[in-house]
Amino acid sequence: MRRPPAQPNQPSQPNHPNRSSLRTPPTPPFNAPAARSLRAALNMGPEHVAYGMRASYGLPYVTEDLVIAWERELAAPTSHELTALAGVLWCSPGELLGRPRTLREHRIARGLAPEDVARTVGHEVLAYLRMEENDDWQGTDRQSAALADVLGLSLPDFITVTGRDAKLADLLRSAVTTRWQAYVRPVHKMVPLDRRVLEDTLQELHKDYQGQMTATLSWGGGSGDSSAAGREFLDRIVERFWATVQRSGP
């Protein structure tokens, strides 16, 4: 049986015993407990994992101590190291990740090379990599749909990785603090939900916010308590929005 490839269409990195001299991208969110569990299930010791990464993936600096440091969350593997680790542990890179947060992390979780995603969405590879590095997705509606499909993005994840969370939050804050009806159209333009679900969601959020502010004042709390409650509600408005959408959906 052949070991899974390090990463499809991914060129091998040169062997460097000293990683500190290399410019490496930010590490993906590593799931250390998952790595320990997968290793134990294979009856492998950290030394076996290190040997596999050295012998099969050309990473001569990986030692037993480094593997232990990853599992104890004292360090985190780079994306290339994580892909190699997944190969040694006979799993997908996504099984070693926490919840992906960025465009790059979603790509790694799917085990895709930048070339694969760029080709699918119709971007030059270097242009796509700049978008990943800057967390700044730029694409047409067709390219955005292709991105969501190839990365298996849910609607909330798509809004996040395309950098629209801040704008959505601004619209939602205005909707709950003023007339929510005026924001159905602009929110719908950004978030293509069923219009009835969207209207129900904005109405419920508006009612919850206004009710919370009124209750805080009626309980005898000062304006400071009311302001703190209101800020907490508005700070988590996007999270509350998606939770309410889920409850309001069919």
Side-chain angles (χ1 to χ4, degrees), residues 50-72:
Y51 175 79
M53 294 181 70
R54 292 195 303 269
S56 299
Y57 294 96
L59 300 176
Y61 54 82
V62 176
T63 63
E64 175 184 354
D65 288 341
L66 181 57
V67 173
I68 292 173
W70 290 338
E71 292 187 357
R72 292 180 178 175

Side-chain angles (χ1 to χ4, degrees), residues 154-172:
S154 65
L155 184 54
D157 286 337
F158 176 75
I159 296 297
T160 297
V161 303
T162 54
R164 304 180 191 183
D165 268 348
K167 185 176 180 180
L168 177 59
D170 286 342
L171 290 173
L172 294 175

